[in-house]
Amino acid sequence: MKNLLISFLLVALFALPSVAQTLQGVILLNDSTPCPYATVYIASANRGIAANEKGEYMLDELPAGNLKVEYSCMGQQTVRRELTLTKGETLVHNEALTEKLMLLPPAIVTPDGESPAHYVLRHVWDKAKENKKRIDSWQAAVKYDAGMNDMDLLFKIIPKKYMILLKSALALGGYKKIFNLALDHPSLKAKVSLVRTYTNGKVTDSEQKITECNEKLTAEEQKTLYSNKLLIEPNIFDEVYGDYEDWGRYGSARDKFQLVGSYEQDGKMIDVLEYIETRTTEREKVNEQGEKVKEKKTRTTVSRLHVVEDDWGILKTEKKGEHIQGGTECRDLGGGIYMPISSSSRLTFPTIPADSLPSKIAKAEKELKDPKGFNKTEQQMLERFIKQLKEHEGRDIRMELFFAYDIKYRYFKLK
């Protein structure tokens, strides 16, 4: 995955008229709190989507009849339900997930003392290279939500000189246009649909349109939203497997993954590989006594791969940290080739509740009156921070940048 932003796919060779059946609801944890960014998958429709930060989800244009629906989230037990949709119905179904039971011990026994995780990953990317050559063409309809929340607070407190450096770094990574869009529309929320086709090794997008948007965008800004190559790989297969290292996208971390367990699903054994990255940072701050002290902060990010042993394909990727959450759901579209059907990626900062703003403003103003320990740049940032908090008074502040994709294949052909 292009680190932060996400994945999606492609497009239609034939299309039947859609019927307006919809499934929506809220996914909760066992204590009745929302389960943010959980995933919903409907096997019979080959459709999937990620819930939002409140656990809310919606899948439309579904077929009428019995649907087998799968609800899943990192750390929670997967739940499968059989629901029935009648013609023209909007069915509301809320689901509660419970904490996942212990996995079975890892099932892999390797020759020559090779690490089990190493063994699985090696098989995955050997198979991925073979599968990539076997894919002749495909087409899929893609729907995606893209947006920002309250990013103006962040942009307006960063000093100009740092903003220029940030712009330069993002431009080198290919994110210049999307960053400029975020600068101009820091609370943008849009729904986009397109058809993506892969044939003869080339990807083309068509039928692009914005179906919903909370702001008026110029033609160039609309083009930026359509230009999903800024966000994911042109070939959706590479979005999951990659080709940057000998073993694909996770090549640089292949020796850091551990095989933590296995479970059975639909008669196949799924191996779970996990990589936990912990980073500790240290910064100086001034305590209540006016003394300079060093403060340490530790951040942990958990990455998981769910691999289908029979096919050596990736069924699911998951990533969860303090500020980043995301993942991709894949399904076998034929011959053991696992392709994404939904994907999401969110960069978030802790929510600042509306009722805490007055005390935060008062604390910041108090620090500003006695600016010992602050250099000129830090003082300016604190002043801007106070100004922005005052402008946001009366509501929660939730800084977030997100993309979420729902991919419906209409055509898939192997050589």
Side-chain angles (χ1 to χ4, degrees), residues 102-300:
M102 290 295 291
L103 296 167
L104 298 170
I108 299 292
V109 177
T110 64
D112 305 321
E114 183 179 13
S115 154
H118 200 273
Y119 177 88
V120 171
L121 283 171
R122 179 165 57 81
H123 279 72
V124 166
W125 271 281
D126 284 349
K127 192 70 173 176
K129 288 177 183 178
E130 176 189 317
N131 284 341
K132 188 174 180 180
K133 293 174 184 176
R134 292 172 58 212
I135 299 172
D136 178 80
S137 55
W138 46 251
Q139 189 178 74
V142 182
K143 292 182 178 181
Y144 63 94
D145 294 349
M148 282 73 76
N149 283 312
D150 294 335
M151 294 299 286
D152 56 331
L153 188 147
L154 188 64
F155 295 146
K156 288 179 180 177
I157 65 173
I158 297 176
K160 192 173 181 179
K161 61 181 180 180
Y162 294 135
M163 187 65 80
I164 292 169
L165 289 172
L166 181 58
K167 271 189 172 184
S168 301
L170 290 167
L172 289 171
Y175 294 104
K176 181 181 178 182
K177 288 184 178 180
I178 204 75
F179 182 68
N180 286 338
L181 182 66
L183 278 174
D184 293 334
H185 303 278
S187 292
L188 173 71
K189 292 180 183 64
K191 293 180 181 293
V192 180
S193 65
L194 58 88
V195 171
R196 175 169 277 194
T197 305
Y198 172 86
T199 186
N200 296 325
K202 293 182 180 179
V203 171
T204 55
D205 292 335
S206 59
E207 299 180 30
Q208 300 168 325
K209 64 180 179 179
I210 295 175
T211 58
E212 192 179 310
C213 190
N214 66 334
E215 296 189 39
K216 187 173 177 62
L217 302 179
T218 66
E220 189 62 32
E221 288 169 338
Q222 289 185 41
K223 190 177 177 183
T224 295
L225 266 184
Y226 296 142
S227 183
N228 44 71
K229 294 179 184 67
L230 291 169
L231 312 174
I232 66 162
E233 290 295 327
N235 183 343
I236 201 64
F237 184 83
D238 287 343
E239 177 59 25
V240 177
Y241 296 93
D243 199 21
Y244 302 128
E245 305 279 344
D246 287 345
W247 285 10
R249 186 170 300 283
Y250 292 94
S252 59
R254 65 191 181 195
D255 295 322
K256 299 175 183 176
F257 275 98
Q258 299 292 321
L259 180 59
V260 295
S262 306
Y263 61 93
E264 190 177 331
Q265 181 172 306
D266 301 326
K268 293 186 176 183
M269 191 62 72
I270 314 298
D271 294 319
V272 181
L273 285 75
E274 186 175 84
Y275 166 37
I276 300 176
E277 183 180 24
T278 302
R279 291 185 180 180
T280 301
T281 56
E282 188 176 86
R283 71 183 185 98
E284 271 194 356
K285 64 174 290 187
V286 179
N287 63 19
E288 293 180 358
Q289 289 73 42
E291 303 165 328
K292 282 187 180 180
V293 294
K294 288 187 176 179
E295 181 183 65
K296 285 187 177 180
K297 186 162 187 178
T298 300
R299 291 186 173 91
T300 300

Side-chain angles (χ1 to χ4, degrees), residues 389-404:
L389 289 183
K390 287 181 176 178
E391 288 183 8
H392 286 78
E393 273 192 289
R395 66 178 182 84
D396 292 350
I397 299 174
R398 183 169 51 84
M399 289 180 283
E400 180 181 49
L401 173 66
F402 66 88
F403 296 89

Side-chain angles (χ1 to χ4, degrees), residues 274-396:
E274 186 175 84
Y275 166 37
I276 300 176
E277 183 180 24
T278 302
R279 291 185 180 180
T280 301
T281 56
E282 188 176 86
R283 71 183 185 98
E284 271 194 356
K285 64 174 290 187
V286 179
N287 63 19
E288 293 180 358
Q289 289 73 42
E291 303 165 328
K292 282 187 180 180
V293 294
K294 288 187 176 179
E295 181 183 65
K296 285 187 177 180
K297 186 162 187 178
T298 300
R299 291 186 173 91
T300 300
T301 303
V302 179
S303 299
R304 284 184 190 159
L305 299 178
H306 297 243
V307 176
V308 184
E309 269 188 38
D310 290 23
D311 308 313
W312 300 112
I314 294 176
L315 182 69
K316 183 190 297 187
T317 73
E318 298 174 301
K319 190 167 188 174
K320 189 172 185 179
E322 182 179 7
H323 296 307
I324 186 168
Q325 296 200 40
T328 304
E329 288 273 351
C330 303
R331 296 293 152 174
D332 180 2
L333 294 188
I337 294 179
Y338 288 75
M339 298 283 279
I341 58 161
S342 70
S343 184
S344 69
S345 182
R346 294 173 184 267
L347 175 66
T348 61
F349 297 87
T351 298
I352 305 175
D355 58 8
S356 73
L357 291 183
S359 62
K360 287 189 178 295
I361 291 169
K363 183 180 177 182
E365 287 178 333
K366 183 180 178 182
E367 289 177 349
L368 200 58
K369 286 178 183 176
D370 184 22
K372 291 177 183 176
F374 292 108
N375 59 35
K376 189 176 179 180
T377 299
E378 290 170 335
Q379 265 186 273
Q380 290 173 345
M381 287 179 70
L382 190 56
E383 288 169 356
R384 292 190 185 109
F385 182 62
I386 292 168
K387 183 182 177 183
Q388 286 302 306
L389 289 183
K390 287 181 176 178
E391 288 183 8
H392 286 78
E393 273 192 289
R395 66 178 182 84
D396 292 350

